[in-house]
Amino acid sequence: MKLTKDEKVLLAEGFDMEPIGTSIVVQRAKVEKKSDSGIIMPASVTSKKLNEGTVMAVGKGNRNAAGERTPLDVGVGDNVLWSEFTGNDITRGDDNYCIMKETDVLVILRG
């Protein structure tokens, strides 16, 4: 994932939502409608929203006592998990996003 950097935020290339402060925008992972073995999943499984996704944009962070920006621990491209009742969900086209504070992220998935 190629990043563009300006004095405001870090964004995935071509992404047009700019979070402020410690806010982040996460693209929700899509629920697979068919298993690897070809079994079609029922609607009760595929209609659930996953609390997992990829960070698409991060704000520039808050200012510390000296007036300097404190960078966020999560970055664009990180795969993250968050709790069920976190953030604000939005849909743009076929993609679902969750806008939340960095502190709402429970873990960064590595590997």
Side-chain angles (χ1 to χ4, degrees), residues 5 46 76 108:
K5 183 175 182 175
T46 59
V76 172
I108 298 173

Side-chain angles (χ1 to χ4, degrees), residues 1 3 12 15 24-30 50-58 74-82 96-98 100 105 108-109:
M1 181 176 296
L3 306 180
F15 196 71
I24 64 173
V25 180
V26 180
Q27 183 175 23
R28 285 187 181 271
K30 296 185 190 288
L50 294 178
N51 295 330
E52 177 180 341
T54 303
V55 177
M56 300 300 290
V58 298
V74 298
V76 172
D78 285 346
N79 291 316
V80 297
L81 297 175
W82 62 93
N96 295 313
Y97 300 95
C98 187
M100 67 186 82
V105 172
I108 298 173
L109 302 171

Side-chain angles (χ1 to χ4, degrees), residues 40-62:
I40 297 174
M41 302 294 187
S44 61
V45 173
T46 59
S47 64
K48 292 183 179 180
K49 291 190 287 186
L50 294 178
N51 295 330
E52 177 180 341
T54 303
V55 177
M56 300 300 290
V58 298
K60 55 187 173 177
N62 289 331

Side-chain angles (χ1 to χ4, degrees), residues 2 6 18 42 46 48 50 53 59 65 75 85 87 97-99 107:
K2 189 173 179 184
D6 61 24
E18 297 184 10
T46 59
K48 292 183 179 180
L50 294 178
F85 302 107
Y97 300 95
C98 187
I99 301 170
V107 297

